[in-house]
């Protein structure tokens, strides 16, 4: 299950993010906006129901308020996933936020979990977010960790990936729907996506 969300507005913003001259502030703003735009696809199939509470329109009609059937947990993979949280939360203010601390060993490219906290919610839709899907190791480890805590309705929301990472996640977890804005050519020998956009965490937080 793979959806490439290649809307023209996303393409323009992503091209700005790829530019090495784009500064951290503009990088973050574009990531934020792309995350909001992607919500249209990621949550497109969710159902809603009317609740008892009502409101009146300016035209004098009383209507029932509408709510999503699913409770949403947004689970960013630290650090870079944090850059997608506000964009999604602006669209779904009721989303609860978890955190999955994961870093990639620079030599082995193996993921290491260092923090995990998700809100306790009954039958939620858990959306794991991370801008970069490279080898797929971090995403697979994050899905593992979420499943281990008993959650089964999981989606993965990424910005840029490559065929290697997508195949790895699809093989490990065919039930997890991947939403991604762009599939790039390949991984380089250091495990970076080509052409990609460099180190997303460093560019979001200005650490290099
Ligand atoms: C980056 C990125 C992903 C991971 C992708 O994080 O944000 O989490 O690498 O690579 P993979 O698909 O090969 O696992 P990194 O570990 O560099 O941590 P950071 O976000 O703290 O910079
Ligand atoms: N992590 C990043 O931030 N960028 C890549 O290209 C690969 C992993």
């Amino acid at each position: 299950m793979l959806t490439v969300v290649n809307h023209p507005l996303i393409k323009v913003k992503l091209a700005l993010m790829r530019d090495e001259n784009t500064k951290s502030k503009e990088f973050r703003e574009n990531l934020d906006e792309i995350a909001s735009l992607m919500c249209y696809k990621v949550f497109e199939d969710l159902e809603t129901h009317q609740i008892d509470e009502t409101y009146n329109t300016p035209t004098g009609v009383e209507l029932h308020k509408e709510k999503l059937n699913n409770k949403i947990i947004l689970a960013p993979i630290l650090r870079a996933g944090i850059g997608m949280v506000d964009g999604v939360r602006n669209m779904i203010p009721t989303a609860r936020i978890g955190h999955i601390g994961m870093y990639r060993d620079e030599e082995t490219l193996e993921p290491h979990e260092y923090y995990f906290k998700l809100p306790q919610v009954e039958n939620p839709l858990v959306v794991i977010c991370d801008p970069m899907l490279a080898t797929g190791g971090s995403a697979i480890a994050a899905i593992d960790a979420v499943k281990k805590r008993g959650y089964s309705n999981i989606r993965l929301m990424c910005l840029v990936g490559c065929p290697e990472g997508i195949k790895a996640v699809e093989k490990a977890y065919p039930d997890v729907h991947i939403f991604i804005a762009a599939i790039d050519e390949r991984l380089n020998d250091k495990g970076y996506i080509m052409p990609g956009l460099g180190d997303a965490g460093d560019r979001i937080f200005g650490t290099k």
Side-chain angles (χ1 to χ4, degrees):
M1 289 194 284
L2 172 70
T3 299
V4 183
V5 191
N6 56 0
H7 191 281
L9 296 180
I10 293 179
K11 282 189 190 160
V12 171
K13 291 176 191 303
L14 182 54
L16 278 169
M17 293 181 70
R18 292 184 190 276
D19 184 340
E20 64 174 355
N21 291 317
T22 296
K23 300 272 185 298
S24 188
K25 179 173 182 284
E26 204 186 343
F27 189 89
R28 284 196 306 274
E29 287 167 353
N30 280 284
L31 178 56
D32 214 36
E33 290 166 1
I34 293 176
S36 292
L37 288 168
M38 286 184 75
C39 286
Y40 184 81
K41 273 286 169 201
V42 176
F43 301 103
E44 181 176 51
D45 59 332
L46 296 195
E47 293 185 356
T48 63
H49 64 277
Q50 293 187 342
I51 58 170
D52 288 343
E53 215 179 314
T54 60
Y55 61 93
N56 292 309
T57 69
T59 51
V61 180
E62 186 182 20
L63 295 175
H64 285 270
K65 291 190 178 175
E66 199 89 26
K67 268 196 158 181
L68 288 174
N69 288 1
N70 295 80
K71 296 245 183 325
I72 312 289
I73 295 180
L74 186 62
I77 300 179
L78 307 181
R79 293 173 298 166
I82 290 282
M84 298 174 81
V85 169
D86 285 349
V88 176
R89 227 182 182 186
N90 285 341
M91 297 297 114
I92 310 182
T94 52
R96 311 267 297 268
I97 314 295
H99 292 92
I100 304 173
M102 202 71 77
Y103 75 90
R104 216 172 57 140
D105 182 298
E106 283 181 14
E107 298 298 319
T108 65
L109 303 183
E110 288 296 318
H112 296 275
E113 185 180 320
Y114 59 87
Y115 185 78
F116 187 96
K117 186 126 188 142
L118 286 197
Q120 299 283 327
V121 175
E122 221 176 296
N123 294 325
L125 166 62
V126 181
V127 180
I128 298 172
C129 61
D130 191 328
M132 310 309 282
L133 182 61
T135 64
S138 304
I140 291 169
I143 296 167
D144 270 342
V146 172
K147 288 211 176 221
K148 237 182 250 161
R149 270 72 170 194
Y151 296 114
S152 57
N153 188 7
I154 302 170
R155 294 180 183 183
L156 176 66
M157 182 176 175
C158 300
L159 185 68
V160 180
C162 58
E164 294 90 329
I166 288 166
K167 272 191 210 122
V169 175
E170 284 179 330
K171 187 162 176 241
Y173 287 114
D175 59 314
V176 173
H177 196 141
I178 305 169
F179 295 83
I180 198 154
I183 303 176
D184 282 8
E185 274 170 46
R186 62 181 174 89
L187 282 181
N188 72 10
D189 56 6
K190 293 196 165 60
Y192 274 78
I193 298 169
M194 298 297 287
L197 45 74
D199 189 307
D202 284 342
R203 296 192 67 186
I204 292 167
F205 296 105
T207 33
K208 258 186 198 151

